[in-house]
């Protein structure tokens, strides 16, 4: 019987579903040092939440499929896996709309100070002191620059269009399927718009691409929203830009060293911070869990995974 290794904290639905199809072993952390001889011999499939370093891949010599929980698979050494002929799958599509919904919520929270307004009410200050202050920022009249226009980016842009704001975007290549204006560089995009929404993956090319130069280009009325990966933003540069008033605000759902959030970002009232919850609803996490299981079941029972990543040796 096929043996699947559940690595780290795995969604209970994955465990329940896979137990009906495979023998299950569990590894509490993505640490090659804790791989037992039984795991090394028997495991041919794995399920984990964006954690599969090359050392762990090497410690499991019979692995054929790595099923990643999450659309982002930067925590999986995908090139190492591909070089060894191992397939990696992720969970695209099923979370696109949830992440897009959350992005709009984060953007509005950042601009309109809605969490702060609710705290005002809950603290009894509305009744004692009167109405909450007017928000200095608004979505009205904003020009949004999408940094990233993949599946999730397109869902975000579609929602923004319904909010009646202007949208431009930058990615490596223009996408002829989208109706928004393409801008050839991130710097030019930041100069053109007043609100930057980052939804790019963690790759060597995206590291700290949002830095002092880009934040200054965004300008004093500028707002930065990041729902991709913390890696994309230099948090030191962002804290300095907020301190100096180089931009007007920021909304972040992702951080470089999660779950650690820099103290320097906590003190600003014009910053809205979320603990990486963009896809974190019961319905969406269930759908992601099902896709993890479906990939393992489809591969081991029918020979073809459902959502292999592009770097992977398996071609649909
Ligand atoms: C993803 O799917 O990559 C998300 O960031 C996980 O929440």
């Amino acid at each position: 019987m096929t043996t699947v290794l559940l690595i780290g904290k795995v969604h209970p639905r994955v465990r329940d579903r896979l137990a009906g199809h495979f023998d299950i072993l569990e590894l509490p952390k993505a640490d090659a040092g804790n791989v037992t001889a039984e795991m090394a011999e028997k495991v041919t499939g794995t399920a984990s939440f964006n954690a599969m370093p090359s050392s762990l891949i090497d410690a499991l010599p019979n692995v054929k499929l790595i099923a990643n929980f999450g659309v982002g698979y930067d925590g999986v050494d995908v090139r190492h896996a591909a070089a060894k002929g191992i397939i990696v799958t992720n969970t695209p599509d099923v979370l696109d709309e949830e992440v897009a919904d959350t992005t709009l919520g984060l953007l509005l929270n950042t601009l309109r100070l809605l969490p702060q307004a609710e705290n005002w009410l809950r603290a009894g200050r509305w009744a004692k002191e009167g109405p909450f202050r007017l928000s200095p920022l608004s979505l009205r009249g904003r020009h949004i620059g999408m940094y990233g226009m993949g599946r999730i980016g397109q869902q975000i842009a579609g929602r923004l269009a319904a909010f009646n704001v202007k949208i431009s975007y930058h990615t490596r290549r223009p996408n002829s399927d989208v109706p928004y204006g393409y801008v050839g560089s991130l710097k030019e995009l930041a100069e053109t718009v007043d609100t930057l929404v980052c939804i790019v993956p963690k790759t060597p090319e995206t590291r700290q691409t949002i830095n002092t130069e880009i934040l200054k280009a965004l300008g004093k009325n500028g707002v930065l929203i990041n729902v991709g990966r913390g890696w994309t933003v230099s948090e030191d540069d962002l804290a300095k830009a907020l301190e100096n008033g180089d931009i007007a605000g920021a909304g972040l759902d992702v951080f470089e060293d999660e779950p650690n959030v820099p103290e320097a970002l906590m003190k600003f009232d014009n910053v809205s911070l979320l603990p990486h919850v963009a896809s974190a609803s019961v319905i969406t996490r269930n759908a992601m869990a099902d896709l993890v299981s479906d990939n393992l079941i489809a591969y081991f029972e029918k020979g073809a995974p459902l959502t292999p990543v592009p770097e992977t040796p398996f071609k649909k």
Side-chain angles (χ1 to χ4, degrees):
M1 186 151 175
T2 301
T3 301
V4 170
L5 184 65
L6 307 184
I7 300 166
K9 199 163 175 284
V10 167
H11 195 291
R13 203 168 161 110
V14 173
R15 182 179 298 104
D16 293 350
R17 180 91 187 290
L18 293 181
H21 293 259
F22 308 119
D23 281 341
I24 301 294
L25 293 174
E26 304 214 25
L27 185 65
K29 275 202 323 204
D31 180 356
N34 291 333
V35 169
T36 62
E38 184 192 17
M39 290 172 188
E41 186 199 325
K42 292 190 181 160
V43 167
T44 50
T46 67
S48 61
F49 198 154
N50 203 17
M52 198 66 182
S54 57
S55 54
L56 188 49
I57 296 174
D58 290 341
L60 297 166
N62 298 316
V63 165
K64 306 266 179 299
L65 184 114
I66 294 168
N68 186 57
F69 186 104
V71 68
Y73 48 96
D74 43 89
V76 178
D77 194 329
V78 70
R79 280 174 224 294
H80 192 64
K84 297 184 103 177
I86 300 168
I87 295 167
V88 177
T89 61
N90 67 341
T91 60
D93 302 322
V94 294
L95 49 62
D96 298 354
E97 295 209 280
E98 196 76 73
V99 174
D101 292 348
T102 311
T103 307
L104 266 293
L106 178 59
L107 174 61
L108 288 171
N109 281 351
T110 306
L111 294 167
R112 299 295 328 285
L113 306 176
L114 301 179
Q116 294 91 324
E118 182 170 349
N119 288 342
W120 180 266
L121 175 155
R122 284 179 187 270
R125 297 182 70 181
W126 186 16
K128 281 197 214 106
E129 298 174 46
F132 184 67
R133 68 186 185 277
L134 305 183
S135 68
L137 304 176
S138 165
L139 186 58
R140 294 304 91 224
R142 283 202 167 254
H143 183 175
I144 315 286
M146 296 291 307
Y147 175 33
M149 192 50 89
R151 280 181 291 246
I152 300 175
Q154 288 175 47
Q155 290 290 339
I156 297 171
R159 281 157 177 71
L160 285 166
F163 279 82
N164 206 18
V165 289
K166 192 169 172 198
I167 302 165
S168 302
Y169 74 103
H170 168 71
T171 53
R172 276 170 304 175
R173 281 175 293 280
N175 181 344
S176 54
D177 293 338
V178 304
Y180 319 108
Y182 178 74
V183 180
S185 75
L186 177 58
K187 171 95 183 288
E188 202 190 323
L189 182 72
E191 283 163 353
T192 307
V193 304
D194 52 34
T195 309
L196 205 50
V197 175
C198 301
I199 181 70
V200 287
K202 178 176 173 180
T203 65
E205 295 76 38
T206 58
R207 169 128 179 89
Q208 300 199 344
T209 40
I210 304 294
N211 49 33
T212 298
E213 185 192 21
I214 299 299
L215 294 168
K216 285 207 159 138
L218 191 57
K220 292 198 180 302
N221 188 34
V223 170
L224 172 74
I225 302 294
N226 189 14
V227 286
R229 287 289 183 260
W231 162 276
T232 306
V233 175
S234 162
E235 289 169 346
D236 287 346
D237 287 6
L238 175 59
K240 272 186 226 132
L242 289 159
E243 191 75 57
N244 298 339
D246 290 338
I247 64 167
L252 309 171
D253 182 48
V254 286
F255 302 89
E256 172 103 53
D257 179 30
E258 295 175 6
N260 304 306
V261 177
E263 268 308 311
L265 293 174
M266 301 267 201
K267 63 177 182 197
F268 298 106
D269 189 49
N270 53 346
V271 173
S272 190
L273 302 170
L274 294 177
H276 200 151
V277 293
S279 68
S281 67
V282 170
I283 187 172
T284 295
R285 288 291 168 89
N286 282 351
M288 292 164 71
D290 287 346
L291 189 48
V292 169
S293 303
D294 288 344
N295 266 301
L296 285 155
I297 294 165
Y299 178 70
F300 285 110
E301 294 183 0
K302 298 191 189 115
L306 302 179
T307 51
V309 304
E311 297 89 338
T312 242
F314 188 88
K315 296 284 167 258
K316 272 199 198 178

